[in-house]
Amino acid sequence: MEYRPYDKVMLFMGVLSTKGFPSSLRERLEEAFGPIAAISDPFPFSFTDYYVPEMGEGIERFFISFSRLISPDSLVDAKAITNEIERQWREEGGRKINLDPGTLSEANIVLATTKNRAHRIAIGKDMYAELTLMYQNHCYQAFPWTYADYRSQKVQDILLSFRKDYLKLRKMD
């Protein structure tokens, strides 16, 4: 059996914030993951109130993509780094910045998480990966477990824009 290298993927992050996008956070992310390719416009995060007790009111959601393509098995390291960055942004015991790294390929969106569920696969370092969206028929298809915001047209439009950027980067890589 001959092994083939993984196709490189785009690292992106869903960000929840009550602090906007401070320049010091941007610098830290670029230091860790390379240049940011795109940042979506922020919008109110109203899909669930799950994060309100920890983060407070006024949570905004936005997405970031990075221009340096990575191996998909680097997702576990990205999640470990973002967990540490989140710890640095804690105030009064709660996160004010929530960073959810994922990978975007031609075929799918995969998110990293620390929480195990039946549909998640262990990827090392006590982390799991979840196939969140599948690209099919020129759009993303959700699964029963896909988060509500990732099901929304607004988020899918952002991810489709990132996918176009990814396909251009793949040609140059």
Side-chain angles (χ1 to χ4, degrees), residues 53-67:
E54 179 183 12
M55 298 182 75
E57 297 290 338
I59 300 170
E60 290 188 314
R61 163 69 96 187
F62 61 95
F63 290 85
I64 302 168
S65 67
F66 294 87
S67 59

Side-chain angles (χ1 to χ4, degrees), residues 55-89:
M55 298 182 75
E57 297 290 338
I59 300 170
E60 290 188 314
R61 163 69 96 187
F62 61 95
F63 290 85
I64 302 168
S65 67
F66 294 87
S67 59
R68 185 185 305 152
L69 299 182
I70 64 168
S71 176
D73 61 355
S74 300
L75 182 58
V76 67
D77 296 322
K79 182 65 175 167
I81 291 167
T82 58
N83 284 353
E84 181 55 36
I85 294 170
E86 285 179 357
R87 280 193 269 295
Q88 295 166 0
W89 282 88

Side-chain angles (χ1 to χ4, degrees), residues 23-149:
S23 60
S24 58
L25 176 60
R26 180 185 180 130
E27 289 167 10
R28 179 66 180 96
L29 290 172
E30 288 188 320
E31 175 186 300
F33 304 113
I36 291 174
I39 305 168
S40 74
D41 290 332
F43 55 92
F45 184 74
S46 57
F47 298 94
T48 177
D49 59 1
Y50 176 84
Y51 296 97
V52 172
E54 179 183 12
M55 298 182 75
E57 297 290 338
I59 300 170
E60 290 188 314
R61 163 69 96 187
F62 61 95
F63 290 85
I64 302 168
S65 67
F66 294 87
S67 59
R68 185 185 305 152
L69 299 182
I70 64 168
S71 176
D73 61 355
S74 300
L75 182 58
V76 67
D77 296 322
K79 182 65 175 167
I81 291 167
T82 58
N83 284 353
E84 181 55 36
I85 294 170
E86 285 179 357
R87 280 193 269 295
Q88 295 166 0
W89 282 88
R90 290 180 80 84
E91 291 178 10
E92 301 168 5
R95 292 177 295 176
K96 300 302 174 190
I97 304 283
N98 179 318
L99 303 169
D100 291 319
T103 59
L104 183 152
S105 73
E106 193 170 344
N108 60 42
I109 300 286
V110 174
L111 296 179
T113 181
T114 59
K115 299 173 199 84
N116 190 14
R117 301 288 184 270
H119 59 279
R120 295 177 178 162
I121 307 291
I123 57 175
K125 299 183 182 180
D126 298 323
M127 310 278 183
Y128 301 88
E130 169 185 293
L131 177 61
T132 299
L133 295 169
M134 178 177 64
Y135 186 80
Q136 186 177 28
N137 298 324
H138 309 288
C139 63
Y140 284 113
Q141 307 294 320
F143 299 99
W145 55 82
T146 301
Y147 295 114
D149 54 338

